Amino acid sequence: DTGVSQDPRHKITKRGQNVTFRCDPISEHNRLYWYRQTLGQGPEFLTYFQNEAQLEKSRLLSDRFSAERPKGSFSTLEIQRTEQGDSAMYLCASHRQASSYNEQFFGPGTRLTVL
Amino acid sequence: AQKVTQAQTEISVVEKEDVTLDCVYETRDTTYYLFWYKQPPSGELVFLIRRNSFDEQNEISGRYSWNFQKSTSSFNFTITASQVVDSAVYFCALSDPASSGTYKYIFGTGTRLKVLA
């Protein structure tokens, strides 16, 4: 257990529905990342927060995706009008600024299946 | 551009054999960080090792060892006397804050290791 939690662990939804995932990082970590991992691939960067500010978004993050980190604590990732191509594992990671090695601590992931 | 290549898609070995997983990276910067993670069937990413670009010392941790060579841009991982519990997908990752402006990871596509009893 890395100390990063994600909820839910699994989500099955029908195409067109909206889904929201939550990530709770390690409390003193001010940086939070979202990644997406499709079958047989490595995780790919989606977006990054420093405290409550969203500082970078990947081109993978279409306008159906939105992420927030109110008050710089937990973060949510919402997908609107889900498509079958959104089926993937969504991973959250946190990291403390000024840590010597930039090690990110990953949560267990949320596995999304869109039917 | 930053890139991580894990050319071995899948490796099968018999228990107690040694196995090396290859990782080649690309970056234009002199300051960067490299990592290895293990992903068992349950899906979580388990941290194994980190290395910064200024530390070329090889490292051994139990049955695991890592060979970092800047001259060939490689960061290879060897498991000695493999065990069935080592079966997993292994990912190599690069973090290159100078180029990317963030500490995001660039992952390779992973190597699936199967250790047969």
Side-chain angles (χ1 to χ4, degrees), chain A residues 13-19 64 79-83 114:
Chain A
T13 191
K14 292 183 179 178
R15 186 163 50 99
Q17 297 294 305
N18 299 344
V19 295
R64 296 184 299 104
I79 309 175
Q80 296 183 326
R81 305 181 304 280
T82 52
E83 301 174 354
V114 182

Side-chain angles (χ1 to χ4, degrees), chain B residues 17-91:
Chain B
E17 285 186 2
D18 298 347
V19 58
T20 295
L21 310 182
D22 297 334
C23 173
V24 174
Y25 61 91
E26 293 178 29
T27 176
R28 292 175 296 183
D29 291 296
T30 56
T31 301
Y32 51 88
Y33 305 88
L34 296 163
F35 304 84
W36 275 95
Y37 283 82
K38 174 182 180 180
Q39 188 173 48
S42 54
E44 75 273 20
L45 281 169
V46 178
F47 167 78
L48 295 177
I49 192 171
R50 57 182 175 248
R51 182 62 84 230
N52 73 37
S53 52
F54 298 107
D55 181 3
E56 285 196 73
Q57 263 193 325
N58 291 325
E59 183 162 335
I60 298 174
S61 175
R63 296 185 296 108
Y64 296 169
S65 62
W66 290 270
N67 183 354
F68 176 32
Q69 293 196 342
K70 286 178 74 171
S71 60
T72 55
S73 296
S74 65
F75 186 41
N76 296 337
F77 172 33
T78 296
I79 302 174
T80 303
S82 59
Q83 299 176 1
V84 173
V85 294
D86 295 327
S87 297
V89 181
Y90 290 85
F91 289 98

